[in-house]
């Protein structure tokens, strides 16, 4: 039996249309699956960026608001870039999905790279905080040494302890910058009422530099032979009322 050409052509057209519809549907499903995967990765990348940015802003706040230091240019640049990229809206994401020339995966890479920039910038900020920490902890140690010589007033020793504890926590803060700032202002005010440096102690009591060096030695060693001190040092020490009650002379 002969096959009618028109019927065959119609059948082939129908099959071709179904194949095209299948390919289109398959491609669409694949695009949707890929978009869903990319969107999950984008959300994960954004969460990590936000966490890093929150920590970074807390550290920069400690540097600039509490210790009144300028933010390094690279840190300011990293912050601006991170804030800009984190402000992407849902409509922006949908536009990227609809735009066949762009990919969410490339945006994921950009977010990840931005986070690395933020992490690097925080390391720079933390180096400045470590320098401040080291300098002020040294002041705390000096104040403690002086206190040992003048009788270790309990309130003064408590102030020094809290001052040191605060400084030890500045690289891993848990509280808001505003609370930390208020806390620091109170601690700093109390600390400044103490003898916190040897030069200030020397000037306040009219001591010679040699006497101060001998006092430093006493604070380290607790005991010094009398014949190792000059008559001037002994006389000056005994003229300071705070020292008279703590320094004992043994013959």
């Amino acid at each position: 039996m002969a096959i009618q050409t028109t019927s065959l052509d119609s059948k082939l057209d129908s099959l071709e249309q179904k194949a095209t519809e299948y390919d289109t549907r398959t491609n669409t499903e694949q695009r949707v699956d890929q978009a869903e995967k990319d969107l999950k990765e984008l959300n994960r990348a954004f969460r990590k960026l936000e966490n890093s940015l929150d920590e970074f802003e807390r550290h920069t706040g400690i540097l600039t608001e509490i210790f009144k230091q300028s933010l390094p240019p690279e840190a300011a640049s990293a912050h601006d870039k991170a804030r800009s990229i984190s402000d992407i809206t849902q409509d922006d994401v949908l536009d990227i999905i609809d735009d066949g020339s762009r990919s969410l995966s490339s945006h994921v890479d950009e977010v990840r790279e931005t986070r690395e920039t933020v992490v690097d910038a925080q390391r720079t900020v933390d180096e400045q905080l470590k320098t401040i920490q080291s300098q002020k902890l040294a002041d705390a140690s000096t104040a403690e040494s002086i206190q040992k010589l003048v009788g270790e007033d309990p309130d003064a020793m408590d102030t020094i302890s809290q001052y040191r504890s605060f400084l030890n926590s500045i690289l891993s803060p848990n509280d808001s910058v505003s609370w930390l700032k208020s806390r620091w202002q109170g601690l700093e005010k109390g600390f400044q009422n103490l003898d916190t440096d040897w030069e200030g102690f020397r000037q306040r009591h009219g001591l010679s530099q040699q006497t101060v060096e001998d006092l430093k030695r006493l604070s380290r060693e607790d005991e010094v032979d009398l014949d190792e001190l000059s008559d001037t040092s002994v006389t000056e020490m005994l003229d300071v009322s705070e020292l008279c009650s703590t320094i004992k002379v043994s013959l």
Side-chain angles (χ1 to χ4, degrees):
M1 183 174 69
I3 300 176
Q4 294 182 5
T5 304
T6 53
S7 298
L8 181 60
D9 289 344
S10 177
K11 186 67 173 177
L12 290 174
D13 287 344
S14 177
L15 290 173
E16 185 175 324
Q17 183 178 354
K18 288 181 179 179
T20 301
E21 291 173 352
Y22 174 79
D23 289 342
T24 301
R25 184 168 64 253
T26 301
N27 289 338
T28 300
E29 289 174 352
Q30 289 175 345
R31 284 187 62 195
V32 169
D33 288 344
Q34 186 61 50
E36 288 179 344
K37 292 177 182 178
D38 289 343
L39 191 56
K40 288 179 181 178
E41 285 298 317
L42 182 61
N43 284 333
R44 276 194 287 267
F46 268 127
R47 282 196 296 270
K48 290 182 179 179
L49 174 60
E50 285 294 337
N51 289 338
S52 296
L53 191 55
D54 286 346
E55 184 178 1
F56 174 63
E57 288 179 337
R58 188 176 287 114
H59 286 230
T60 58
I62 291 172
L63 180 67
T64 60
E65 295 184 40
I66 295 178
F67 294 118
K68 310 300 182 185
Q69 299 295 309
S70 299
L71 196 63
E74 61 269 33
S77 176
H79 178 267
D80 291 344
K81 181 179 180 181
R83 272 297 163 212
S84 174
I85 199 171
S86 65
D87 287 339
I88 186 172
T89 66
Q90 184 173 332
D91 288 339
D92 294 329
V93 174
L94 292 175
D95 287 342
I96 295 174
I97 293 175
D98 290 337
D99 188 349
S101 64
R102 292 189 293 168
S103 168
L104 272 182
S105 61
S106 64
H107 198 66
V108 171
D109 292 338
E110 186 178 5
V111 174
R112 287 172 175 165
E113 290 171 2
T114 301
R115 177 174 177 265
E116 287 302 315
T117 302
V118 169
V119 171
D120 288 341
Q122 183 176 317
R123 292 193 186 101
T124 301
V125 170
D126 284 352
E127 286 303 315
Q128 285 190 253
L129 288 176
K130 286 178 183 177
T131 299
I132 294 170
Q133 181 188 61
S134 177
Q135 292 170 344
K136 293 188 178 299
L137 283 175
D139 292 341
S141 295
T142 298
E144 190 173 55
S145 295
I146 294 174
Q147 276 299 311
K148 287 180 179 179
L149 291 173
V150 298
E152 295 190 2
D153 175 73
D155 289 338
M157 295 301 288
D158 184 58
T159 296
I160 294 169
S161 176
Q162 292 184 54
Y163 186 86
R164 180 181 283 121
S165 179
F166 181 94
L167 291 168
N168 284 328
S169 71
I170 62 174
L171 294 174
S172 54
N174 295 316
D175 299 298
S176 68
V177 172
S178 59
W179 187 91
L180 292 170
K181 182 178 180 181
S182 176
R183 173 67 172 158
W184 174 249
Q185 288 174 340
L187 288 172
E188 191 174 35
K189 182 178 180 180
F191 187 75
Q192 288 174 346
N193 289 331
L194 308 177
D195 282 309
T196 60
D197 68 280
W198 287 109
E199 180 57 25
F201 186 79
R202 186 189 72 77
Q203 292 181 6
R204 187 161 72 88
H205 294 288
L207 304 175
S208 66
Q209 191 61 51
Q210 183 56 53
T211 298
V212 169
E213 292 303 318
D214 290 336
L215 286 171
K216 289 181 183 179
R217 184 179 171 189
L218 269 171
S219 70
R220 292 192 304 267
E221 301 178 10
D222 292 331
E223 187 175 299
V224 176
D225 288 342
L226 191 59
D227 59 6
E228 295 178 11
L229 302 177
S230 68
D231 292 341
T232 300
S233 287
V234 174
T235 300
E236 288 184 352
M237 288 180 192
L238 295 178
D239 282 342
V240 178
S241 59
E242 293 101 319
L243 298 177
C244 284
S245 61
T246 56
I247 294 179
K248 295 182 175 57
V249 178
S250 298
L251 299 176

